[in-house]
Amino acid sequence: MDNIRLFFALCCGILCGACTHTTTPPSDDVLVPLQSISPFPVGVAVDVGRLLSHTPYRTVAETHFNSFTAENSMKMSALRPDASSFYWDEADTLAAFCKQLGARLHGHTLVWHNQNPDWVENFQGTPEQWAAMLKKHIQTVVARYKGTATTWDVVNEAFDDNGGLRPTIWRQHLGDDYIAQCFQWAREADPTAQLLYNDYNVEENGAKLQAVLLMLDDFQKRGIPIDGIGFQMHILDTYPPLPSIHAAVQAVQQRGVLIHFSELDVSLNFAKTATALTEGMKQRQRQRVEDIVSLYRTIPAAQQVGITLWGIADTDSWIPNFFSRLDWPLLFDEQYNPKPALYGFLDALRK
Ligand code: XIL
């Protein structure tokens, strides 16, 4: 009997008795579009070229998501070929795509230390000229997407992991209070957009979170127009521990501001020991995604910006390239089929 069962399980690839290895989802895994049952926006970072050229990519984007972030096309290096002009084509294409779908465009990102054009890195000017250059950038971009980009990462990654202010070109030339200025300039350009500070490792609940909280408290005291915090959530299957993420979220939540999980991916091969994605890894990722989405659901609805995935399929992820390792951090496989992690997201939404 057991042998027959084993034979069937191997032939059919179905869940069988105590065997947890399966290639088909359990029977209660009903696939529905993520956004169709989500009480908050479910977003994804996209490559605009791929959105235009690859049908499976676009189909998944249109089906499951109702908020879109340009993975690169709205960064300063993409928008600013030189000091006097703007290159809008890709960002405009994404904005039009969002409008057509009735989806949100999440603006990413106005001010960062990475992906700046050479002319900015080499800019020669007084502090006033630096300020004028950045103000013009922020206000032109925000004004152009007013009404479509209703949420913005105004400043990205301004703190280091020890909680210090990064020595970026912006800080160097505009002074330590540059973050506050950037939020004020963005607010002037769009009084209704939700303005966020975005960073990674905030979910670790360590020194960087403390620095972000100090900034938030200071901005709230001074009336600097900050609406919330983006937790990038580039996390591992086992790190940070869920209680740390929860504590970090609660600390921000208590301040009454918005919370965006803005760049979620769940790495499975941080140690670089895996050479293939196993069933065990898939299931661990499924549980992790379910836990993260369940945690997000504990945030009051009025403070939820949404959860944004940093890419569609594993093959689209920035992680293998950026960190030189094999990895499978997203919700869809290379064929654009749902992975167990997608069902983990759905499970948390159905609870
Ligand atoms: C990444 C993109 O995904 C890559 O394509 C690019 O080469 C580098 O930047 N934090 C951020 C994102 O705020 O903008 C980064 O995106 C990933 C880390």
Side-chain angles (χ1 to χ4, degrees):
M1 171 61 187
D2 276 356
N3 281 346
I4 292 173
R5 224 187 240 199
L6 182 64
F7 176 75
F8 259 93
L10 290 174
C11 288
C12 308
I14 56 169
L15 189 67
C16 166
C19 173
T20 54
H21 293 259
T22 174
T23 53
T24 54
S27 55
D28 59 344
D29 279 351
V30 178
L31 181 63
V32 295
L34 282 175
Q35 50 81 18
S36 73
I37 60 165
S38 178
F40 49 78
V42 187
V44 69
V46 290
D47 178 88
V48 178
R50 196 154 170 77
L51 200 58
L52 295 178
S53 64
H54 197 62
T55 306
Y57 185 90
R58 193 174 58 249
T59 302
V60 170
E62 289 171 345
T63 305
H64 286 280
F65 300 98
N66 57 5
S67 173
F68 294 89
T69 305
E71 186 174 359
N72 290 298
S73 303
M74 294 175 77
K75 293 172 180 173
M76 206 173 186
S77 55
L79 289 178
R80 303 302 304 281
D82 54 59
S84 54
S85 52
F86 289 78
Y87 170 78
W88 299 117
D89 291 13
E90 288 189 13
D92 279 3
T93 300
L94 185 60
F97 174 83
C98 290
K99 266 194 197 151
Q100 206 189 344
L101 267 188
R104 173 181 67 196
L105 176 63
H106 171 68
H108 173 83
T109 176
L110 297 166
V111 184
W112 194 22
H113 62 281
N114 279 334
Q115 291 183 269
N116 289 321
D118 287 347
W119 69 262
V120 166
E121 297 284 346
N122 301 325
F123 189 80
Q124 301 293 322
T126 62
E128 291 71 29
Q129 287 166 326
W130 271 87
M133 181 256 281
L134 186 57
K135 180 180 176 185
K136 175 184 164 187
H137 176 75
I138 291 174
Q139 296 200 328
T140 310
V141 177
V142 170
R144 186 170 185 93
Y145 298 108
K146 196 173 166 183
T148 311
T150 49
T151 52
W152 274 102
D153 293 334
V154 176
V155 177
N156 197 32
E157 303 179 354
F159 295 101
D160 63 32
D161 283 340
N162 301 319
L165 207 49
R166 270 184 207 274
T168 69
I169 46 170
W170 309 117
R171 179 187 177 198
Q172 200 182 325
H173 295 286
L174 277 75
D176 284 0
D177 206 29
Y178 80 95
I179 305 176
Q181 279 194 306
C182 294
F183 277 85
Q184 283 167 322
W185 290 329
R187 172 62 80 234
E188 282 169 22
D190 186 347
T192 58
Q194 291 169 332
L195 306 179
L196 310 173
Y197 173 80
N198 194 52
D199 214 328
Y200 64 90
N201 282 358
V202 183
E203 55 278 356
E204 217 178 29
N205 193 31
K208 192 185 273 189
L209 176 76
Q210 292 311 314
V212 170
L213 295 175
L214 276 178
M215 175 189 72
L216 199 51
D217 292 343
D218 172 50
F219 282 12
Q220 288 187 326
K221 219 178 295 160
R222 290 160 62 199
I224 306 297
I226 187 167
D227 295 307
I229 301 299
F231 289 67
Q232 289 188 7
M233 299 292 291
H234 295 293
I235 59 173
L236 312 185
D237 48 351
T238 51
Y239 188 84
L242 212 53
S244 303
I245 303 177
H246 199 205
V249 164
Q250 280 188 322
V252 175
Q253 190 182 311
Q254 276 161 14
R255 282 148 171 97
V257 297
L258 300 171
I259 298 173
H260 187 197
F261 283 0
S262 57
E263 304 185 12
L264 177 64
D265 45 30
V266 178
S267 282
L268 297 171
N269 199 21
F270 181 73
K272 300 190 183 185
T273 48
T275 53
L277 177 60
T278 64
E279 192 58 35
M281 288 155 76
K282 288 183 197 171
Q283 295 304 329
R284 262 209 316 282
Q285 189 179 48
R286 174 182 182 147
Q287 187 60 53
R288 182 69 158 161
V289 169
E290 182 180 340
D291 289 346
I292 295 298
V293 177
S294 299
L295 190 160
Y296 193 78
R297 293 198 64 188
T298 66
I299 300 168
Q303 286 175 262
Q304 291 174 333
V305 177
I307 299 182
T308 297
L309 275 300
W310 204 247
I312 296 182
D314 286 338
T315 35
D316 305 315
S317 168
W318 70 301
I319 286 180
N321 268 339
F322 201 86
F323 297 105
S324 304
R325 66 172 188 253
L326 277 176
D327 219 317
W328 304 269
L330 295 170
L331 305 186
F332 294 86
D333 68 18
E334 61 279 5
Q335 308 299 327
Y336 290 89
N337 290 318
K339 287 167 61 192
L342 178 78
Y343 291 98
F345 203 125
L346 286 170
D347 284 346
L349 292 178
R350 286 188 179 116
K351 273 197 288 201

